[in-house]
Amino acid sequence: MTRAVVTGAAGFIGSHLCAHLLAAGDTVLGIDVLTDYYDPALKERNLRDLIPHPSFTFHRVDLLEAALEPLVDGADVVYHLAGQPGVRPSWGKDFELYARRNVLASQRLLEAVRDRPLRKFVYASSSSVYGDAPAIPTGESVCPRPLTPYGVTKLSAEHLCEVYRITLGLPAVSLRLFSVYGPRQRPDMALARLIEAALTGRPFPLYGSGEQTRDFTYVHDVVTAMREAACSSFTGVANLGGDAPVSMKHAIAAVERLVGPVNLDPRPSSRGEARHTAADIALAARAFGYRPRTELDDGLAAMADQSVIDLARQPESGSTGPRAMWRGAT
Ligand code: NAD
């Protein structure tokens, strides 16, 4: 039996990871403070199916303040997903939040585990460490040059994991995640906003020409790979991408086919937005058998199903309009 600790357990990816670990027979201690980066009620919803599970315990604490040693005591694997996400808001005065929640919180957690017999410390790093990479698809040997303050904080925490690995022998893995999507995706992310726009008729702000490409990666493929990495002997840094990059125009067309027309609101490109992202996943495939299995259309359909349920729960959502055109709506 594996005893896992998951930070960021109430978040989008963290809640899927907890469900996956529990289904695989692990016991899970979840940690999350439920920050207000987006509506904490959504995070409570993410926890709803986890809380009753007999092998799940949850601690609503802040990694920056809590005594962490008792929480990681006896853990075999620590999955560190807690952090302040979002690229655009990381400029300006909110940078302090990014530095605290992504860098300082990670350093506190690494200190708490450094002398323990952990089997693995798995860190959720990001494709944003690459910025506009000189090679597409991008391999891990490319020198990371983030273009946003968010990317700088993710790279700093990744470097910390590498320092604890190389200098102190901590068996750490940093997985660079590429645009993760799926049911319960964070409401600020592009595909969640796109599906919501198609369902409600509200405009979708499209930054740039729509020719920018993204390597969308389905959340179940990501959490499966996180556990596979934890069970393997691999340590170091590896990409996790979907292996099928598409342009935003292509993603918009896919959502329109599935859900209905999208009312586009064209905006200039956003500062620091990479033009293309695409992961070379050869290392993850070799090291722990990674293979993304979910096609974009299938993943989007699962997301749209969830969004229909969420919208139906909102009192102001009527039963007419584009929502009625969703072919999965019953
Ligand atoms: P999310 O915001 O849904 O989840 C992060 C969770 O961390 C939140 O529930 C938040 O309340 C919690 N948290 C933040 N600071 C905390 C603290 N100090 N103490 C305790 N809890 C804290 O985000 P997500 O999309 O699920 O992302 C999870 C991780 O994966 C993040 O570290 C993010 O940087 C990384 N990542 C995500 C993506 C993506 O496409 N979603 C891509 C690359 C990397």
Side-chain angles (χ1 to χ4, degrees):
M1 184 195 58
T2 299
R3 290 159 299 180
V5 169
V6 176
T7 75
F12 160 47
I13 305 172
S15 60
H16 281 277
L17 176 64
C18 290
H20 176 68
L21 298 177
L22 291 168
D26 299 348
T27 61
V28 179
L29 184 152
I31 296 173
D32 202 303
V33 71
L34 279 69
T35 66
D36 64 359
Y37 174 72
Y38 59 89
D39 186 356
L42 294 173
K43 300 180 182 181
E44 285 168 11
R45 176 210 55 189
N46 292 346
L47 288 172
R48 208 171 291 149
D49 292 340
L50 299 172
I51 297 286
H53 198 290
S55 300
F56 183 72
T57 49
F58 180 69
H59 295 259
R60 184 170 183 171
V61 294
D62 190 334
L63 289 179
L64 288 158
E65 288 166 10
L68 299 179
E69 282 81 2
L71 294 172
V72 296
D73 197 28
D76 301 304
V77 181
V78 173
Y79 297 91
H80 177 38
L81 282 72
Q84 178 79 357
V87 170
R88 287 189 197 105
S90 68
W91 302 91
K93 67 175 172 38
D94 278 351
F95 179 72
E96 188 180 339
L97 274 182
Y98 284 80
R100 285 173 54 73
R101 291 181 178 159
N102 293 347
V103 185
L104 296 178
S106 300
Q107 187 268 349
R108 276 199 96 221
L109 184 62
L110 286 162
E111 277 297 310
V113 300
R114 58 177 274 188
D115 294 323
R116 290 173 192 276
L118 272 194
R119 212 167 68 211
K120 202 74 74 176
F121 182 93
V122 180
Y123 171 59
S125 185
S126 168
S127 61
S128 62
V129 303
Y130 288 120
D132 255 329
I136 295 286
T138 309
E140 293 83 354
S141 59
V142 161
C143 179
R145 288 192 196 282
L147 291 175
T148 58
Y150 165 76
V152 170
T153 61
K154 293 304 288 184
L155 184 58
S156 303
E158 189 188 292
H159 280 321
L160 277 171
C161 292
E162 285 294 275
V163 166
Y164 280 73
R165 179 176 77 83
I166 294 162
T167 312
L168 302 180
L170 183 76
V173 174
S174 295
L175 298 172
R176 292 177 174 165
L177 315 185
F178 281 66
S179 306
V180 186
Y181 76 106
R184 312 198 304 268
Q185 193 189 41
R186 292 195 335 258
D188 60 309
M189 294 188 73
L191 294 183
R193 290 185 291 105
L194 191 51
I195 288 175
E196 201 215 345
L199 287 167
T200 61
R202 286 201 273 272
F204 172 76
L206 173 64
Y207 296 92
S209 65
E211 302 292 347
Q212 65 271 39
T213 54
R214 291 291 173 268
D215 198 352
F216 295 111
T217 316
Y218 193 62
V219 66
H220 191 259
D221 290 329
V222 170
V223 300
T224 302
M226 285 180 157
R227 188 169 189 277
E228 280 164 359
C231 293
S232 76
S233 58
F234 177 74
T235 57
V237 177
N239 289 334
L240 288 186
D243 209 24
V246 298
S247 68
M248 273 312 292
K249 274 186 174 161
H250 178 106
I252 292 166
V255 167
E256 290 192 316
R257 274 196 310 277
L258 267 169
V259 186
V262 176
N263 176 12
L264 294 179
D265 170 16
R267 308 265 180 99
S269 306
S270 137
R271 277 182 300 185
E273 193 178 346
R275 260 192 75 64
H276 303 292
T277 68
D280 180 336
I281 57 168
L283 175 58
R286 265 197 323 276
F288 46 89
Y290 175 60
R291 184 161 72 85
R293 291 180 160 80
T294 313
E295 302 284 339
L296 183 65
D297 282 352
D298 296 333
L300 287 174
M303 264 183 96
D305 276 338
Q306 176 71 51
S307 303
V308 167
I309 294 166
D310 289 349
L311 279 170
R313 287 205 181 109
Q314 289 174 14
E316 71 274 19
S317 72
S319 57
T320 56
R323 202 158 68 88
M325 295 165 66
W326 161 234
R327 66 174 164 80
T330 50

